[in-house]
Structures are given as structure tokens and as C-alpha cells.
Amino acid sequence: MSIVEETIRRSLSRRSRHGPRGGSSSAGDWPAAASRGPAQPIPTVASGTASASARPQDIAGPTKRQSSRDTDSAGQHTPPDQADLLFKVMLLGDSGVGKTCLLTRFRDGRFLAGNYITTVGIDFRNKVVTVDETPIKLQIWDTAGQERFRSVTHAYYRDAHALLLLYDVTNKTSYDNIRAWLSEIREHANEDVVIMLLGNKSDCGTERIVKREDGERLAKEYKVPFMETSAKTGLNVELAFLAVARELKARKSDDPDGTKFNVQDYVRQQSQRSSCFNSSCLTT
């Protein structure tokens, strides 16, 4: 064998053992793309808001605001089947008037201090209250106040038994928009829906722009009960929900001889008692 042939044979032997230089890596160096398997789909996160076509029983999720647990007025957990009556209550009003804070104060007994998170779409929470020894489950819907979500909230008006319409006493625009909200209610809600007007953030004394008399005059014009509330201090928060619960229960009563309940008179009497109590506390 010549020297040239021997050199070529040795070169081919080295290539067969180590692979060609500068070529693709062998299977022992890097795993082939095919060995990784098919790409896994990226999990999606379900939205915490309800669409216009969603029903309360369709909405589920682990978030605290959509918890299906029920709590009575004393803070005790109550199974849903222990409630004799179920009523749907909607919170309406401009963005930032305190609808979510009002609901959290009533449902959890606490105030959402600091920066608030604007509600997107619509959300709901449950609470069981006791009216004259009758457990009543309130399904409370918290709605977005922005204009772009109005078409979503309109779809829920027909199913609501009561509407709590809020404005911010430190925001004149939210008060001026109450007439527009009432027009939407008349257009989309049932004729016999219970409506209550609430002037929220009554604790902001130095920042107040809308007087109490202005709220009373507007409520009298539209013939709806009115009270001022404070999600921060809890003033009249529970009273507002209990008042509509009593009114709705009275409408369901089968006793024609019973005394007719008047929610406006009830709110007026209870508000006077609360005012007297708060005045005496402030002077002691």
C-alpha cells in the first residue's frame, strides 16, 4: 500500500468515528427536536367578570369576590338551602362612587382602604340576612360604572328585584348623572323594581360638595327612598340592604290583612334613630 493510500484510509477512519467536522451535532451531543414531543398549549386564565349572557349559577372560580359561600348578618356561614327567599340586588352609579366598598363593608364588615380597583364588567357576592326570623339570601351584583360597560349591565336589569343607585357626595358630576341612571332604569328594569338612592362617602365632611338636602330633593322628585351612607364608617350600609330586603319580603307576603310595609317610612324612621344615636355619641 502506498503512502498516499494509507493517509486516505486513516482520514476516512477518523471521520467515521468522530463525525464530520463543522457538521450537525450527533444525537449524543444534543437531543433531537423530535424527541421533545409536541408543544404544550399555554393555559388560559378565566376572566373574573361576567358576560351579558352569563347567569349567576354559570359563574364559578376560586376568587374571593366570587365565593359561593353565604354569610348571615351576624357573620356566620349559612348554607344556601337555609334561606327561604332569594332576591337579586344591583349596585349602580358612576365609576368611583364606592359601590365595591359599600358591598365589601356589608358583606365582610371591612373597608377597602387605599387605592381601589375599578370593577370590570360585573361581579356578585351573596349574603343571608334575617328579617323577622326569616332568612333571606341577597345576591348582590356589583356593576362597572364606565360607559363602555353599560351594554353589559343593561342585560341584568330585568332580573333585578332591587337597585341601589349611588352617587358620591364629593363628586358633583356623579350626582348630576343620577337622572341619566334613572332614565336607564326606567327603560331596562321592571316596573315594580325597588329603587333606593344613596349618597355615599358621607364621612368626607370637608370635601363634601353635594348637600344632603340636594339628595333628598332629587329622591322626592322621583319618589324613591334616600339616605346617605359611608362605606368607611359603615353608616347606614346595613340599613340600606335590610330596608330593601324588608320591602321585597313584604311584597312576597301572602297576608292581605297585614300592615303594609313602606320602605320610605322605614328608612326615614331608622335614619332618624341613627342620627340621634350618632349625635349623642359625638357629644359624650
Side-chain angles (χ1 to χ4, degrees):
M1 182 180 295
S2 66
I3 296 176
V4 176
E5 292 175 340
E6 179 65 20
T7 302
I8 294 174
R9 185 184 65 81
R10 290 179 179 178
S11 177
L12 293 174
S13 177
R14 285 196 300 268
R15 288 189 178 187
S16 64
R17 291 196 304 269
H18 303 289
R21 295 181 181 178
S24 59
S25 300
S26 64
D29 296 328
W30 297 97
S35 65
R36 299 180 185 179
Q40 297 297 325
I42 300 174
T44 58
V45 179
S47 173
T49 58
S51 66
S53 60
R55 295 170 301 175
Q57 57 268 33
D58 295 333
I59 300 176
T63 59
K64 184 175 181 181
R65 294 188 63 193
Q66 290 187 347
S67 172
S68 60
R69 294 178 299 173
D70 300 308
T71 303
D72 62 14
S73 56
Q76 302 296 324
H77 294 298
T78 305
D81 55 359
Q82 290 190 10
D84 295 342
L85 298 172
L86 168 64
F87 298 118
K88 299 177 183 179
V89 181
M90 286 187 67
L91 301 178
L92 301 176
D94 284 3
S95 178
V97 298
K99 299 185 295 294
T100 301
C101 290
L102 192 82
L103 173 56
T104 303
R105 167 62 72 178
F106 175 66
R107 174 61 171 75
D108 302 327
R110 62 186 180 89
F111 176 65
L112 293 176
N115 296 329
Y116 69 92
I117 300 176
T118 303
T119 301
V120 178
I122 192 166
D123 194 8
F124 77 96
R125 302 174 79 178
N126 299 321
K127 183 166 182 176
V128 177
V129 298
T130 302
V131 176
D132 298 332
E133 300 183 356
T134 300
I136 299 175
K137 180 178 179 180
L138 297 179
Q139 189 177 87
I140 309 165
W141 293 82
D142 182 14
T143 65
Q146 297 94 325
E147 181 68 29
R148 64 180 182 272
F149 294 118
R150 294 290 177 84
S151 60
V152 176
T153 57
H154 289 168
Y156 290 81
Y157 280 30
R158 290 291 180 187
D159 294 329
H161 299 97
L163 303 173
L164 299 183
L165 181 56
L166 282 72
Y167 68 87
D168 179 358
V169 299
T170 68
N171 186 336
K172 183 66 162 52
T173 302
S174 69
Y175 172 80
D176 293 337
N177 289 339
I178 289 296
R179 296 181 184 276
W181 281 103
L182 288 169
S183 297
E184 290 187 6
I185 291 173
R186 302 300 186 192
E187 180 180 356
H188 298 284
N190 293 322
E191 294 182 358
D192 60 345
V193 66
V194 177
I195 304 173
M196 180 177 292
L197 180 62
L198 301 178
N200 198 33
K201 304 185 183 182
S202 61
D203 57 282
C204 302
T206 58
E207 302 175 23
R208 176 189 285 269
I209 297 177
V210 182
K211 298 179 180 180
R212 179 185 179 89
E213 292 77 10
D214 296 333
E216 292 175 341
R217 180 173 59 254
L218 184 61
K220 185 177 181 180
E221 177 183 346
Y222 284 90
K223 299 179 180 180
V224 296
F226 165 79
M227 70 175 72
E228 289 193 342
T229 58
S230 170
K232 184 175 183 178
T233 65
L235 175 66
N236 290 337
V237 173
E238 187 168 357
L239 173 60
F241 287 96
L242 288 179
V244 296
R246 285 183 174 275
E247 170 69 11
L248 293 172
K249 176 180 177 294
R251 295 184 180 187
K252 285 285 186 179
S253 176
D254 297 329
D255 184 11
D257 298 329
T259 303
K260 183 175 178 58
F261 178 79
N262 188 297
V263 64
Q264 294 189 9
D265 292 341
Y266 177 80
V267 168
R268 189 181 305 108
Q269 294 171 2
Q270 296 298 322
S271 297
Q272 291 175 353
R273 293 179 183 178
S274 178
S275 300
C276 294
F277 175 76
N278 292 333
S279 300
S280 63
C281 290
L282 293 174
T283 57
T284 56

